Amino acid sequence: MPLGTWEMSGFKMKVYGISYATALPREELIQAAKEAADDYLARPTTQRTHGVGFIGIHDGRGENQIFVDRWINENELMHKIWVSAVPSPGDIYPAPEDFNSVCIWDLKVQCFEREAWMRHVLANPHGQDFDGYLADTLSGSF
């Protein structure tokens, strides 16, 4: 479910909520995601960024996951993941090295975002349209 667009550290990020047991992720997890994403996006990178991307906040069955994907260079994602235990959603930590890259529910968001990036930025005959990209969100439950 789309949770709006967050402006943070010079980025505009589409935000999605995915939840196993409730309509929306728990507020503790949303707040932890906001703080982690803002801190992460504020850090410099050597990659060329576009100032846009997306965040997934997944209140899961086995554990919680937060991912921040910012578009870099021409056609790449810089992907960062945090996790927390279900009973303590706000106690997030960076995912271990051998952690999964993305779960099947999160993949739906990434697949949609790839297509939106293609439509509005890479294959747009009128040039890069970042506002169009930000307005193009996946809707419904997933």
Side-chain angles (χ1 to χ4, degrees):
M1 170 171 294
L3 300 179
T5 301
W6 292 349
E7 293 189 34
M8 51 181 47
S9 298
F11 284 81
K12 291 182 180 178
M13 305 293 286
K14 297 189 229 182
V15 183
Y16 294 97
I18 302 166
S19 184
Y20 169 71
T22 57
L24 296 171
R26 289 171 284 173
E27 189 57 39
E28 287 175 90
L29 187 60
I30 292 172
Q31 190 57 41
K34 187 174 268 188
E35 291 170 12
D38 192 33
D39 179 63
Y40 172 68
L41 293 170
R43 296 181 195 158
T45 176
T46 60
Q47 307 296 325
R48 182 174 59 95
T49 66
H50 301 278
V52 297
F54 54 98
I55 297 169
I57 306 167
H58 188 157
D59 200 330
R61 179 173 62 180
E63 68 186 341
N64 305 307
Q65 298 180 28
I66 298 164
F67 60 91
V68 175
D69 287 337
R70 58 179 154 179
W71 291 105
I72 61 169
N73 304 320
E74 180 184 11
N75 57 356
E76 299 168 323
L77 279 177
M78 187 175 282
H79 184 72
K80 177 73 174 169
I81 307 169
W82 294 264
V83 295
S84 69
V86 171
S88 52
D91 295 334
I92 65 170
Y93 57 91
E97 190 172 315
D98 65 344
F99 194 77
N100 66 44
S101 171
V102 64
C103 93
I104 194 163
W105 307 114
D106 303 337
L107 190 57
K108 183 169 183 172
V109 172
Q110 283 188 330
C111 288
F112 176 87
E113 289 298 321
R114 179 225 184 248
E115 295 302 315
W117 190 253
M118 292 293 296
R119 273 191 303 279
H120 298 285
V121 179
L122 293 184
N124 187 346
H126 305 291
Q128 298 176 334
D129 179 7
F130 296 115
D131 290 333
Y133 167 75
L134 290 166
D136 192 353
T137 59
L138 178 62
S139 61
S141 298
F142 35 89

